[in-house]
Amino acid sequence: MTIGPSTRVIKADSEAVAAAARCLAAGGLVAFPTETVYGLGADAQDGIAVARLYDAKGRPAFNPLIAHVPDMAAARGLARFDAAAERLATMLWPGPLTLVLPKAEGRTVADLATAGLDSIAVRVPDHPVAREILTAFGRPVVAPSANRSGHVSPTTAQHVLADLRGRIDLIVDGGATPVGVESTIVSCLAEPVLLRPGGVPRAAIERVLGQSLDDAPLQPDGDEGEAPLAPGQLASHYAPRSALRLDATTVSASEALLAFGPQTPAGSEPVRTLNLSTRGDLIEAAANLFSYLRALDSAGAASIAVMPVPHHGLGEAINDRLRRAAAPRSVT
Ligand code: AMP
Ligand code: MG
C-alpha cells in the first residue's frame, strides 16, 4: 500500500490559482471546478502525472482523456482543425463542448493521455477558475471528472473530497458547478459525429454546422468512462500491427520484448527490448506503455513478447490494454 498525499482544500482566489499551477507543474493532481463538473487535473505532457491520475481514480481501463486549454491558440498546438471544427470552436468555445480532432505534429500530450491514439479530445472550458488555472499553468491539462471510478461526477468540492481525500494533492473550491453534466463530445475526424450528448445541445451544434449531426454514441467501457462504438469510423483503442504474445516467460530471437521488472525471460536475445519499469513500478509502467508498444511495433520483429504484469493497482488497466492490443482483429 502506498500512502497518498494529504489533500488540501482551498477557496478559489488568486493564491489558490497560483498554488494549483505550481502543483500541476510539480506533477501533482489538482481538482478544480469547470462549468460542467469538477475535473481532476494533471499535466497532460507528464506521463507519470497522467498515470497517477488513473491510479487516483482507480480506473480499471485507460480511456483517452480530454485536454483542457485556455484558448484557441493553445488548442491549435494540440490538434488540426478542419472547417467544421473551426466553426464549432469559434462559435461554441469557451463552453461545454469537446472536439475530437487529429493530433497535431510534435510535442502535444503524453501518449497515455490519448491512450495511444492519433486523435485527441480538446476543450476550452468556460469557468473563470478553470481558465485562470489553465492560463497560469500554461500547458494543457487532462481533467476527467474528479471522482472514483464508477461513482457519480462531482459538482461540489465536498463531493470531490468525499471520493478522493488522501488520493490527490489539492482541491480548489469554487462552489457548485453551473452546468452539472459532462461536455458534449463531437468528433471532427471525418464528417462531424456526435459521440456523447452533454452541456451543449445537439440543436446548437447543428445550427453552427448548418447540417444534421450523425450519432456514434460512446459505450460504457467498464467504468464511468466511455469508448467510441463505430468500428472503422473511429479506432476505439490503440492497436499495434505486430501480434502480441502475452504472459511470456521465454523469448525468441525473432521477437521484440516488452519487459517488466528486474528479471528478463529465458531464451534468445530479442530483436529489441524495452522495459516498462525495471523496478516493477506500475505507475512508471503505465506512463511508458503506449510509447513502448509503438516503438516495438516498428522494430521489425515477427511478434512482441510481453512479460506478465501484476494485476493490482494500475496493473489492471495495463493488462486490459495489453489484452485488447493482443486480440485478433479484422483488417479493413
Ligand atoms: P470524461 O471522462 O468525461 O473526461 O470523458 C472523456 C471522454 O472523451 C471519454 O468518453 C473518451 O472516450 C472520449 N475521448 C477522449 N479522447 C478521445 C479520442 N481521441 N477519440 C474518441 N473519444 C475520445
Ligand atoms: Mg466521469
Side-chain angles (χ1 to χ4, degrees):
M1 276 302 288
T2 48
I3 307 297
S6 63
T7 303
R8 279 194 304 151
V9 184
I10 37 183
K11 285 264 177 259
D13 59 15
S14 55
E15 254 169 61
V17 166
R22 275 197 308 274
C23 186
L24 289 167
L29 301 179
V30 180
F32 59 87
T34 78
E35 77 275 33
T36 59
V37 301
Y38 272 74
L40 179 57
D43 179 351
Q45 294 177 336
D46 179 345
I48 295 284
V50 178
R52 284 207 198 102
L53 188 155
Y54 283 106
D55 193 43
K57 281 184 64 85
R59 273 200 174 177
F62 295 127
N63 301 305
L65 302 173
I66 299 169
H68 295 71
V69 288
D71 52 40
M72 189 63 187
R76 285 190 207 285
L78 299 181
R80 295 201 306 274
F81 289 74
D82 66 7
E86 192 79 41
R87 266 202 303 282
L88 289 172
T90 307
M91 302 297 287
L92 297 171
W93 277 355
L97 173 70
T98 295
L99 296 176
V100 173
L101 303 167
K103 220 167 144 181
E105 296 294 317
R107 186 158 188 263
T108 51
V109 298
D111 280 327
L112 185 60
T114 59
L117 297 175
D118 293 323
S119 57
I120 184 168
V122 187
R123 181 162 99 84
V124 176
D126 185 20
H127 189 289
V129 176
R131 303 194 65 187
E132 281 168 32
I133 290 172
L134 293 172
T135 303
F137 179 54
R139 288 205 293 277
V141 171
V142 285
S145 54
N147 52 279
R148 291 300 296 267
S149 181
H151 294 191
V152 294
S153 296
T155 55
T156 67
Q158 288 68 38
H159 296 164
V160 180
L161 191 62
D163 244 28
L164 295 173
R165 183 197 287 271
R167 305 183 68 85
I168 66 176
D169 299 284
L170 182 62
I171 300 173
V172 178
D173 183 354
T177 59
V179 176
V181 297
E182 271 82 4
S183 60
T184 302
I185 306 182
V186 174
S187 164
C188 294
L189 297 176
E191 274 298 289
V193 170
L194 181 68
L195 296 182
R196 178 177 77 184
V200 175
R202 166 197 289 273
I205 293 163
E206 292 181 335
R207 217 176 304 126
V208 170
L209 291 174
Q211 66 181 74
S212 66
L213 202 55
D214 283 339
D215 289 22
L218 297 164
Q219 290 293 294
D221 192 22
D223 76 313
E224 99 284 12
E226 299 130 311
L229 238 196
Q233 186 169 32
L234 273 177
S236 65
H237 59 86
Y238 168 69
R241 278 168 294 130
S242 316
L244 255 62
R245 192 166 64 80
L246 301 184
D247 294 321
T249 50
T250 61
V251 65
S252 81
S254 63
E255 290 182 309
L257 175 65
L258 188 62
F260 179 84
Q263 244 109 37
T264 42
S268 321
E269 187 59 33
V271 174
R272 184 168 180 202
T273 299
L274 288 171
N275 198 320
L276 288 171
S277 172
T278 43
R279 58 197 161 93
D281 177 335
L282 290 164
I283 302 260
E284 182 181 35
N288 289 330
L289 178 65
F290 291 103
S291 42
Y292 283 11
L293 274 174
R294 269 176 197 275
L296 294 181
D297 201 22
S298 56
S303 60
I304 303 172
V306 182
M307 286 177 67
V309 174
H311 209 62
H312 59 83
L314 276 186
E316 188 180 357
I318 293 172
N319 284 318
D320 170 75
R321 279 297 145 164
L322 288 171
R323 256 197 327 276
R324 290 171 196 244
R329 52 195 165 266
S330 54
V331 178
T332 49

